[in-house]
Amino acid sequence: MTPRPLGRPPWPLLLAAGLALLWLTVPLLGLLVRAPWSRAAGLLAEPEALQALGLSLGTATVATLVVLLLGVPLAWVLSRPGLPGAGVLRALVTVPLILPPVVGGVALLTVLGRSGLLGAPLHEATGLALPFTPAAVVVAQVFVGLPFLVLSVEGSLRALDRRSEEVAATLGASAGYTFTRVTLPAVAPGVLAGAVLAWARALGEFGATITFAGNFPGRTRTVPLEVYLALQSDPDAAVLLSVVLMAVSLVVLVLLRGRWVNRW
């Protein structure tokens, strides 16, 4: 049976939808219009910009690898039927998504700072101080990026047909073998989507990074921090670097092709 065509939406709804779309797109179009394209090559070739881009790409990639190593097992645990306290655990995983990034940086300092709960014993025992180092950038990026992968992979695991796992167990396969050879390949698209989202989120992280890792050129100054500083001294460079980050975000959305959005 062919569904009946819907009537034309009321004009107030169309007007509100149009205003919402303009609210979201006009600022982005403004970046493209105001970007100093004639100076793009020179601005992006400046040492400060190259250092920030290199640091951001490197730390975001390392952070994504850590997110994969930690997030996939966590998603698998959360997806298990009948897990005690699953709702509380899932809420804890989701908190970094809604927590102000600066608060996340303060939380990291209270735990991993030189006088923090774990940072103080570590510093006394080894002399190592994590804050204001490139490693601190990675820690901050993992903190904000991990929930994206966990939620994406958990959604894929919950939608997975468990019969394949049951068959593998019946044939004598170990839990580890079943996970690596049966479960993980089946949810690979969800893992890829979560990893790409986590990488993009890590690349654009600002608040937790500046609070926990500081803003030292060539050491902890990522692209978002460079944008913040350039906005005060060279607005053209700030706009151009913002366009670069926006382009990365658009590429991420194209690569995902709706895999993330369709799960919600």
Side-chain angles (χ1 to χ4, degrees):
M1 181 178 178
T2 304
R4 294 179 58 186
L6 297 176
R8 184 176 179 180
W11 71 264
L13 293 181
L14 291 175
L15 178 61
L19 289 175
L21 187 61
L22 289 174
W23 199 297
L24 295 173
T25 57
V26 168
L28 302 180
L29 293 175
L31 282 177
L32 296 176
V33 172
R34 294 296 301 272
W37 299 111
S38 60
R39 299 178 56 201
L43 290 175
L44 292 179
E46 290 183 355
E48 295 82 1
L50 291 176
Q51 286 179 347
L53 284 169
L55 180 65
S56 290
L57 292 173
T59 54
T61 301
V62 173
T64 303
L65 294 176
V66 176
V67 164
L68 283 168
L69 291 174
L70 302 178
V72 173
L74 177 56
W76 181 85
V77 170
L78 290 176
S79 69
R80 295 292 93 182
L83 175 68
V88 176
L89 294 176
R90 193 173 295 108
L92 292 175
V93 170
T94 310
V95 165
L97 292 177
I98 60 176
L99 192 70
V102 173
V103 177
V106 173
L108 291 174
L109 275 176
T110 59
V111 175
L112 299 174
R114 183 172 295 186
S115 59
L117 298 176
L118 299 179
L122 177 65
H123 181 66
E124 292 176 1
T126 65
L128 296 176
L130 186 58
F132 312 115
T133 65
V137 177
V138 174
V139 171
Q141 292 172 339
V142 171
F143 179 78
V144 299
L146 187 59
F148 288 92
L149 180 117
V150 172
L151 295 177
S152 178
V153 176
E154 185 194 0
S156 297
L157 287 168
R158 287 182 174 275
L160 182 65
D161 188 352
R162 301 290 184 181
R163 287 178 294 183
S164 56
E165 294 180 329
E166 295 172 356
V167 170
T170 302
L171 295 176
S174 64
Y177 183 91
T178 301
F179 176 75
T180 56
R181 296 300 184 90
V182 178
T183 306
L184 199 55
V187 298
V191 174
L192 177 61
V196 172
L197 281 169
W199 183 83
R201 180 64 184 87
L203 191 69
E205 164 52 32
F206 175 83
T209 301
I210 196 172
T211 306
F212 183 58
N215 186 14
F216 301 100
R219 184 172 173 84
T220 64
R221 182 177 296 173
T222 57
V223 173
L225 302 184
E226 183 66 27
V227 169
Y228 176 75
L229 287 179
L231 191 60
Q232 305 172 44
S233 58
D234 190 353
D236 284 349
V239 171
L240 190 61
L241 288 172
S242 298
V243 170
V244 171
L245 291 178
M246 183 179 70
V248 171
S249 301
L250 292 176
V251 170
V252 167
L253 291 177
V254 171
L255 291 176
L256 292 179
R257 298 172 187 170
R259 290 173 180 168
W260 172 263
V261 177
N262 290 340
R263 286 191 174 89
W264 289 91

